[in-house]
Amino acid sequence: MPEIKDIFQCTRCGYCCHGETTVSLNEDDRRRMVAELGGDSEAVREKYWRVSLDAGGGEVVQMKTPGGRCIFYTEENGLGGCRVHNARPWRCGQWPLHPSLLDDEVNFNIIRNSCPGINKELNYAEFTAVLRELMRIGRIKC
């Protein structure tokens, strides 16, 4: 049975936590994050989240990115980490094993070149075969 470590082993480089954009938080992400941070949703919203409106007037909630990195990113002894790792957004738990890699070799190569944790010994077909199986059995949380 394939395992995530066959295609990816996080090096805690923090590259995925850097940038001015971040993932959107769904309702479950927000609920878990509030619980992890002490249960005061208004305080969490004010301190950690960037809230904007989409074209339809609905809220888009993302983590703030001070200094060009996720507000929850920490670094100690040269290793990156997440202050809310146990309650991190589902997209963060999935990254870099995103389903778009299955249909886009160019995207795969871009992510592989930026993420030192992706197994560089596998070609695209080998990588996607393992990822497909992991997704089929529901085991892609990193």
Side-chain angles (χ1 to χ4, degrees):
M1 178 172 290
E3 297 182 37
I4 289 174
K5 69 179 183 172
D6 297 333
I7 58 174
F8 172 73
Q9 292 187 40
C10 184
T11 65
R12 294 180 59 192
C13 71
Y15 184 82
C16 54
C17 302
H18 286 73
E20 292 300 323
T21 60
T22 184
V23 300
S24 295
L25 304 174
N26 66 24
E27 188 67 37
D28 186 52
D29 292 333
R30 295 188 299 243
R31 180 191 53 73
R32 288 182 294 102
M33 199 172 284
V34 166
E36 179 79 7
L37 293 167
D40 184 340
S41 60
E42 286 306 312
V44 170
R45 180 184 177 98
E46 179 68 28
K47 185 173 183 177
Y48 298 107
W49 296 342
R50 178 175 61 212
V51 181
S52 57
L53 298 177
D54 64 17
E59 282 191 346
V60 176
V61 180
Q62 299 175 310
M63 281 104 47
K64 290 181 179 178
T65 55
R69 66 179 190 201
C70 176
I71 196 165
F72 296 114
Y73 177 76
T74 61
E75 193 169 299
E76 188 175 312
N77 299 323
L79 294 176
C82 177
R83 290 196 322 242
V84 293
H85 184 80
N86 292 329
R88 69 194 185 280
W90 72 270
R91 291 178 193 237
C92 295
Q94 182 187 60
W95 190 260
L97 305 180
H98 194 271
S100 68
L101 298 178
L102 297 174
D103 301 316
D104 188 346
E105 188 170 357
V106 171
N107 192 33
F108 166 76
N109 286 319
I110 290 168
I111 292 172
R112 178 159 93 165
N113 289 334
S114 67
C115 179
I118 290 182
N119 184 341
K120 308 284 193 268
E121 295 178 12
L122 299 178
N123 65 36
Y124 180 66
E126 294 166 330
F127 180 92
T128 56
V130 174
L131 181 55
R132 271 191 180 85
E133 180 60 16
L134 290 170
M135 290 177 75
R136 186 186 72 75
I137 62 176
R139 298 186 66 205
I140 63 166
K141 188 168 184 180
C142 299

